[in-house]
Amino acid sequence: LPLCFPQKLWRMLESDQFRSIWWSEGGKCVAINKDLFKVEVLGRGVRQRVFNTRHIKSVIRQLNLYGFTKVQRDIQRSASLPEFLAEEAAASAHSQILYYYNPSFNRAHPWLLGMCKRR
């Protein structure tokens, strides 16, 4: 039987084959480097394709369908202009990283994976 979306996602996270997706927040969140993911995962040929799409929006739609919610990162800003500009540059690079959370998708509790059902 083919794997469902959460199972594919889990295998990717547990594999050392992908640099564009990893566990974050101690294994409670999925982190995706959007630009690298587009090239590394979605840009693969048909035979090596993980998901049946070439579009990041389709992957995000699947995350939402399986109960994942986007997690926002709050970044504290400095008062001094040079520090503020440096933080803005770092935040711009950081904005390419998407974080998603699902209470039933936790690295420390793999048995919960079966509770990730499509809405």
Side-chain angles (χ1 to χ4, degrees):
L1 291 173
L3 298 176
C4 69
F5 178 82
Q7 292 169 328
K8 288 180 185 180
L9 192 62
W10 187 280
R11 286 209 175 160
M12 288 179 70
L13 289 162
E14 290 296 309
S15 165
D16 58 356
Q17 185 179 358
F18 301 98
R19 295 177 301 127
S20 60
I21 186 167
W22 63 94
W23 289 107
S24 177
E25 305 294 325
K28 294 179 181 174
C29 287
V30 176
I32 302 170
N33 180 315
K34 193 167 50 172
D35 289 341
L36 186 55
F37 190 85
K38 287 177 186 176
V39 173
E40 183 183 60
V41 178
L42 302 177
R44 290 175 160 222
V46 174
R47 294 188 185 266
Q48 297 99 13
R49 200 166 284 164
V50 178
F51 302 113
N52 293 331
T53 184
R54 296 180 58 86
H55 305 284
I56 189 76
K57 285 184 176 185
S58 296
V59 174
I60 292 170
R61 191 175 306 117
Q62 287 293 312
L63 286 165
N64 292 327
L65 280 171
Y66 279 94
F68 286 82
T69 55
K70 190 172 182 182
V71 179
Q72 299 296 329
R73 293 279 168 241
D74 292 330
I75 300 172
Q76 299 294 325
R77 302 288 188 210
S78 296
S80 74
L81 183 60
E83 288 177 9
F84 178 81
L85 293 174
E87 289 167 358
E88 281 295 306
S92 175
H94 192 71
S95 71
Q96 292 301 312
I97 301 176
L98 307 172
Y99 296 93
Y100 285 89
Y101 170 77
N102 181 324
S104 297
F105 198 86
N106 186 315
R107 188 178 199 180
H109 306 293
W111 58 89
L112 292 176
L113 185 59
M115 297 179 68
C116 286
K117 302 287 185 196
R118 190 175 173 134
R119 291 182 180 170

